């Protein structure tokens, strides 16, 4: 997968590069996957789940992308 190549990048997904997002891929459950889009090919989007852990998701499985809300005060003392 080659990220940021003009011939391979869809304007829909390139707008989300580097932004924390929630990716929805399961149609029946709408399970959000917190991640970052780091690359794109003709048929798949490469997402980073955590630093050092990236996977490819087939574009046909993506049903929605939303900007991830900022988590403020998530740590409890």
């Amino acid at each position: 997968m080659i990220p940021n190549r003009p011939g391979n990048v869809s304007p829909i997904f390139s707008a989300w590069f580097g932004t924390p997002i929630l990716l929805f891929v399961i149609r029946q459950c709408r399970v959000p996957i917190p991640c970052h889009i780091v690359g794109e090919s003709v048929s798949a989007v490469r997402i980073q789940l955590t630093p050092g852990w990236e996977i490819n998701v087939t574009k046909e499985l993506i049903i929605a992308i939303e900007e991830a809300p900022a988590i403020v005060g998530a740590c409890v003392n």
Side-chain angles (χ1 to χ4, degrees):
M1 180 160 312
I2 303 170
N4 294 327
R5 281 275 171 97
N8 293 339
V9 178
S10 167
I12 296 169
F13 295 107
S14 65
W16 295 100
F17 277 17
T19 303
I21 62 166
L22 297 174
L23 183 70
F24 294 89
V25 294
I26 300 176
R27 295 183 190 279
Q28 291 80 11
C29 301
R30 285 192 52 99
V31 176
I33 301 170
C35 60
H36 292 82
I37 294 177
V38 294
E40 183 175 1
S41 71
V42 174
S43 62
V45 174
R46 186 159 187 87
I47 61 171
Q48 181 182 47
L49 300 169
T50 60
W53 191 19
E54 297 177 357
I55 61 170
N56 294 333
V57 177
T58 305
K59 288 181 179 179
E60 295 173 349
L61 298 177
I62 299 172
I63 59 171
I65 296 176
E66 297 176 4
E67 187 170 357
I71 299 173
V72 178
C75 298
V76 178
N77 290 336

